[in-house]
Amino acid sequence: MRTQVAIVGAGPSGLLLSHLLAADGIESVVLETRSEEYVASRIRAGILEQSTVDLLRAAGLADRLDREADPHRGIHLQWPHERHHLDFVELAGRQVFVYGQTELQKDLVAAAHARGQDVVYEIDDTALHDLETDRPSVTFTDSGGTARRLEAEVVVGCDGSFGPSRTAVPADVRRTWERTYDYSWLGILADVAPSTDELIYAWHPDGFALHSMRSATVSRFYLQVPNDTPVEEWSEDRIWEGLATRLGHGQDGWELTTGPITDRSVLPMRSHVSQPMRHGRLFLAGDAAHIVPPTGAKGLNLAVADVALLAPALTALLRGDHARADAYSDTALRRVWRCTHFSWWMTTMLHTSPDPFDRQLQLSQLRWVTSSEAGATGLAENYAGLPIGF
Ligand code: APR
Ligand code: PHB
């Protein structure tokens, strides 16, 4: 097989990249280990930044999003006995949109079908070759068990945190940074109308809680739990009691409505950055290059921002102009580190620490970002998203 761009991974990064390249007349083939159904049903985060939505609109991918996404002006930040609303539109001139990554993935899959995109699902044994030449290739075994080789001019690793692309950058040029956290999230999906108009991020001595949502009838919640917590330790009753306490049921007349829980899982948290995001004819985008903890919902938005830079850079490269491709890694990493800092900052401000000194610092920081316009604007600007190319 031969194509211009071989894309490893059919998550949001890989499918969006193939879409943007196709719009520029560049041909690609996407290779994916999982099935199309599996990839389109994974439950992930649910907040899109203004710049993500603007890009999806410009790419013609936002018809359903424009009908179904719920625009939010901001978030609620709270701690016991106090809840504050931060209005991002007033503070930063931008809003965010509630639209599950699962829904975006379905839209990307539909668009790939509509344009006849070559996506090879259920492959095995992915291996990258000759990345330092201008004839790189990817070998794999297809679902029928046949060994195949895809030759390309460029290979893009969009294969998430466990794919082979990141480590295809040789160890002597690759630098990584990592931060692990002492806690995880128990994530819950429930068939119940949200009990809030906009997301609630709650600091509580028992641990952080987040009230998010997917639609008018489906809510998403998270509870801070110790690492390696078995999901069975949290019965439905314990989950709802924990959420009621941490989110402040009964506080100033606010009530949490409960409903049937349809999914629950424990999600570990880490920060990870691997650079450079380009080596020879290999480029990395999305989770393949960086992981952020989910507080602040940056992961998907950061992946979209990478791809927004990479698509025009590859188009230019394939037409003989190297400048943007040469600048890609440094340009993308500016935003990656900004989002890495913001996600770490939101995480460490909101997750309860056993250290009493840390707790006082967290509460002081929360009071500052909810009472000072300068503090609130900093949070709003980062949460609602810096412009692409920041
Ligand atoms: N060969 C081919 N595909 C692979 C391989 C491999 N060896 N290994 C992994 N993949 C696929 C995965 O099955 C997955 O579908 O790569 C895809 C990577 O997709 P994502 O993990 O969704 O990563 P990305 O597209 O960069 O999207 C980033 O996902 O994890 C969230 O917070 C993150 O929301 C952000 C988004
Ligand atoms: C989600 O809805 O899944 C979500 C929302 C906001 C976050 C993290 C996750 O900060």
mmCIF file of all heavy atoms in Angstrom, residues 44-47 185 199 201 210 212-214 220 222 294-297 383, ligand 2:
data_model
loop_
_atom_site.group_PDB
_atom_site.id
_atom_site.type_symbol
_atom_site.label_atom_id
_atom_site.label_comp_id
_atom_site.label_asym_id
_atom_site.label_seq_id
_atom_site.Cartn_x
_atom_site.Cartn_y
_atom_site.Cartn_z
ATOM 1 N N ARG A 44 -15.082 9.455 27.177
ATOM 2 C CA ARG A 44 -13.957 10.339 27.511
ATOM 3 C C ARG A 44 -14.523 11.668 28.002
ATOM 4 O O ARG A 44 -15.669 11.757 28.363
ATOM 5 C CB ARG A 44 -13.076 10.533 26.276
ATOM 6 C CG ARG A 44 -12.352 9.238 25.829
ATOM 7 C CD ARG A 44 -11.062 9.057 26.585
ATOM 8 N NE ARG A 44 -10.303 7.875 26.250
ATOM 9 C CZ ARG A 44 -9.497 7.739 25.197
ATOM 10 N NH1 ARG A 44 -9.413 8.705 24.309
ATOM 11 N NH2 ARG A 44 -8.806 6.654 25.022
ATOM 12 N N ALA A 45 -13.712 12.703 27.979
ATOM 13 C CA ALA A 45 -14.144 13.996 28.527
ATOM 14 C C ALA A 45 -15.234 14.639 27.661
ATOM 15 O O ALA A 45 -15.603 14.104 26.618
ATOM 16 C CB ALA A 45 -12.948 14.921 28.653
ATOM 17 N N GLY A 46 -15.721 15.789 28.107
ATOM 18 C CA GLY A 46 -16.891 16.320 27.424
ATOM 19 C C GLY A 46 -16.946 17.820 27.205
ATOM 20 O O GLY A 46 -18.014 18.362 26.945
ATOM 21 N N ILE A 47 -15.799 18.498 27.289
ATOM 22 C CA ILE A 47 -15.838 19.958 27.157
ATOM 23 C C ILE A 47 -14.970 20.401 25.980
ATOM 24 O O ILE A 47 -13.791 20.067 25.908
ATOM 25 C CB ILE A 47 -15.285 20.641 28.439
ATOM 26 C CG1 ILE A 47 -16.099 20.216 29.673
ATOM 27 C CG2 ILE A 47 -15.273 22.162 28.300
ATOM 28 C CD1 ILE A 47 -17.509 20.743 29.695
ATOM 29 N N TRP A 185 -9.596 9.299 39.712
ATOM 30 C CA TRP A 185 -11.008 9.690 39.656
ATOM 31 C C TRP A 185 -11.868 8.446 39.487
ATOM 32 O O TRP A 185 -11.552 7.572 38.659
ATOM 33 C CB TRP A 185 -11.283 10.581 38.438
ATOM 34 C CG TRP A 185 -10.985 12.032 38.637
ATOM 35 C CD1 TRP A 185 -10.317 12.599 39.688
ATOM 36 C CD2 TRP A 185 -11.333 13.101 37.744
ATOM 37 N NE1 TRP A 185 -10.222 13.958 39.491
ATOM 38 C CE2 TRP A 185 -10.832 14.289 38.312
ATOM 39 C CE3 TRP A 185 -12.006 13.160 36.527
ATOM 40 C CZ2 TRP A 185 -10.995 15.540 37.695
ATOM 41 C CZ3 TRP A 185 -12.160 14.403 35.913
ATOM 42 C CH2 TRP A 185 -11.672 15.578 36.500
ATOM 43 N N LEU A 199 -20.993 23.306 34.971
ATOM 44 C CA LEU A 199 -20.207 22.345 35.749
ATOM 45 C C LEU A 199 -19.862 22.885 37.151
ATOM 46 O O LEU A 199 -19.590 24.075 37.301
ATOM 47 C CB LEU A 199 -18.891 22.014 35.020
ATOM 48 C CG LEU A 199 -18.959 20.873 34.009
ATOM 49 C CD1 LEU A 199 -19.943 21.146 32.906
ATOM 50 C CD2 LEU A 199 -17.566 20.598 33.425
ATOM 51 N N TYR A 201 -17.088 22.348 40.100
ATOM 52 C CA TYR A 201 -15.817 21.802 40.578
ATOM 53 C C TYR A 201 -15.786 22.053 42.084
ATOM 54 O O TYR A 201 -15.814 23.210 42.509
ATOM 55 C CB TYR A 201 -14.626 22.509 39.922
ATOM 56 C CG TYR A 201 -14.407 22.152 38.474
ATOM 57 C CD1 TYR A 201 -15.153 22.747 37.458
ATOM 58 C CD2 TYR A 201 -13.426 21.227 38.103
ATOM 59 C CE1 TYR A 201 -14.939 22.422 36.123
ATOM 60 C CE2 TYR A 201 -13.193 20.909 36.773
ATOM 61 C CZ TYR A 201 -13.962 21.502 35.792
ATOM 62 O OH TYR A 201 -13.744 21.187 34.473
ATOM 63 N N LEU A 210 -16.659 16.472 40.965
ATOM 64 C CA LEU A 210 -17.026 17.265 39.785
ATOM 65 C C LEU A 210 -18.395 16.820 39.301
ATOM 66 O O LEU A 210 -18.639 15.622 39.147
ATOM 67 C CB LEU A 210 -15.974 17.049 38.684
ATOM 68 C CG LEU A 210 -16.274 17.603 37.279
ATOM 69 C CD1 LEU A 210 -16.467 19.113 37.299
ATOM 70 C CD2 LEU A 210 -15.124 17.254 36.320
ATOM 71 N N SER A 212 -20.421 17.091 36.094
ATOM 72 C CA SER A 212 -20.441 17.457 34.684
ATOM 73 C C SER A 212 -21.703 16.863 34.058
ATOM 74 O O SER A 212 -22.591 16.359 34.768
ATOM 75 C CB SER A 212 -19.169 16.947 34.003
ATOM 76 O OG SER A 212 -19.139 17.333 32.640
ATOM 77 N N MET A 213 -21.803 16.914 32.762
ATOM 78 C CA MET A 213 -23.044 16.447 32.109
ATOM 79 C C MET A 213 -22.754 16.093 30.663
ATOM 80 O O MET A 213 -21.729 16.500 30.097
ATOM 81 C CB MET A 213 -24.096 17.546 32.184
ATOM 82 C CG MET A 213 -23.648 18.830 31.524
ATOM 83 S SD MET A 213 -24.629 20.263 31.981
ATOM 84 C CE MET A 213 -24.116 20.605 33.658
ATOM 85 N N ARG A 214 -23.657 15.342 30.072
ATOM 86 C CA ARG A 214 -23.537 15.005 28.661
ATOM 87 C C ARG A 214 -24.723 15.519 27.853
ATOM 88 O O ARG A 214 -24.602 15.769 26.662
ATOM 89 C CB ARG A 214 -23.437 13.486 28.479
ATOM 90 C CG ARG A 214 -22.106 12.895 28.905
ATOM 91 C CD ARG A 214 -20.970 13.313 27.965
ATOM 92 N NE ARG A 214 -19.693 12.794 28.429
ATOM 93 C CZ ARG A 214 -18.896 13.402 29.286
ATOM 94 N NH1 ARG A 214 -19.227 14.597 29.770
ATOM 95 N NH2 ARG A 214 -17.771 12.866 29.677
ATOM 96 N N ARG A 220 -22.659 13.374 34.226
ATOM 97 C CA ARG A 220 -21.354 12.738 34.416
ATOM 98 C C ARG A 220 -20.788 13.289 35.730
ATOM 99 O O ARG A 220 -20.823 14.515 35.948
ATOM 100 C CB ARG A 220 -20.448 13.102 33.242
ATOM 101 C CG ARG A 220 -19.044 12.555 33.304
ATOM 102 C CD ARG A 220 -18.955 11.154 32.746
ATOM 103 N NE ARG A 220 -17.579 10.697 32.584
ATOM 104 C CZ ARG A 220 -17.191 9.446 32.864
ATOM 105 N NH1 ARG A 220 -18.032 8.563 33.343
ATOM 106 N NH2 ARG A 220 -15.941 9.080 32.669
ATOM 107 N N TYR A 222 -17.569 12.867 38.874
ATOM 108 C CA TYR A 222 -16.275 12.297 39.254
ATOM 109 C C TYR A 222 -16.065 12.514 40.754
ATOM 110 O O TYR A 222 -16.455 13.555 41.307
ATOM 111 C CB TYR A 222 -15.133 12.971 38.495
ATOM 112 C CG TYR A 222 -15.189 12.793 36.993
ATOM 113 C CD1 TYR A 222 -15.721 13.783 36.164
ATOM 114 C CD2 TYR A 222 -14.706 11.629 36.392
ATOM 115 C CE1 TYR A 222 -15.760 13.626 34.782
ATOM 116 C CE2 TYR A 222 -14.743 11.462 35.003
ATOM 117 C CZ TYR A 222 -15.272 12.472 34.208
ATOM 118 O OH TYR A 222 -15.306 12.319 32.844
ATOM 119 N N PRO A 294 -7.234 15.004 33.969
ATOM 120 C CA PRO A 294 -8.463 15.488 33.318
ATOM 121 C C PRO A 294 -9.055 16.779 33.891
ATOM 122 O O PRO A 294 -9.925 17.367 33.252
ATOM 123 C CB PRO A 294 -9.444 14.325 33.524
ATOM 124 C CG PRO A 294 -8.915 13.562 34.693
ATOM 125 C CD PRO A 294 -7.435 13.740 34.687
ATOM 126 N N THR A 295 -8.578 17.237 35.047
ATOM 127 C CA THR A 295 -9.161 18.437 35.658
ATOM 128 C C THR A 295 -8.950 19.638 34.737
ATOM 129 O O THR A 295 -7.816 20.067 34.529
ATOM 130 C CB THR A 295 -8.481 18.725 37.021
ATOM 131 O OG1 THR A 295 -8.019 17.509 37.564
ATOM 132 C CG2 THR A 295 -9.409 19.447 37.952
ATOM 133 N N GLY A 296 -10.047 20.155 34.185
ATOM 134 C CA GLY A 296 -9.949 21.266 33.246
ATOM 135 C C GLY A 296 -10.192 20.838 31.811
ATOM 136 O O GLY A 296 -10.280 21.677 30.919
ATOM 137 N N ALA A 297 -10.291 19.515 31.595
ATOM 138 C CA ALA A 297 -10.720 18.954 30.298
ATOM 139 C C ALA A 297 -9.874 19.421 29.123
ATOM 140 O O ALA A 297 -10.377 19.791 28.069
ATOM 141 C CB ALA A 297 -12.201 19.277 30.054
ATOM 142 N N TYR A 383 -9.028 28.065 30.811
ATOM 143 C CA TYR A 383 -10.078 27.056 30.707
ATOM 144 C C TYR A 383 -10.794 27.179 29.372
ATOM 145 O O TYR A 383 -11.008 26.183 28.665
ATOM 146 C CB TYR A 383 -11.070 27.201 31.876
ATOM 147 C CG TYR A 383 -11.995 26.023 32.055
ATOM 148 C CD1 TYR A 383 -11.884 25.176 33.156
ATOM 149 C CD2 TYR A 383 -12.983 25.734 31.114
ATOM 150 C CE1 TYR A 383 -12.724 24.084 33.321
ATOM 151 C CE2 TYR A 383 -13.828 24.652 31.265
ATOM 152 C CZ TYR A 383 -13.695 23.831 32.376
ATOM 153 O OH TYR A 383 -14.525 22.748 32.525
HETATM 154 C C1 PHB B 2 -16.307 15.448 31.638
HETATM 155 O O1 PHB B 2 -17.450 15.868 31.437
HETATM 156 O O2 PHB B 2 -15.987 14.278 31.399
HETATM 157 C C2 PHB B 2 -15.306 16.379 32.200
HETATM 158 C C3 PHB B 2 -15.618 17.721 32.328
HETATM 159 C C4 PHB B 2 -14.713 18.580 32.868
HETATM 160 C C5 PHB B 2 -13.483 18.112 33.294
HETATM 161 C C6 PHB B 2 -13.157 16.783 33.154
HETATM 162 C C7 PHB B 2 -14.062 15.905 32.606
HETATM 163 O O3 PHB B 2 -12.619 18.987 33.851
#
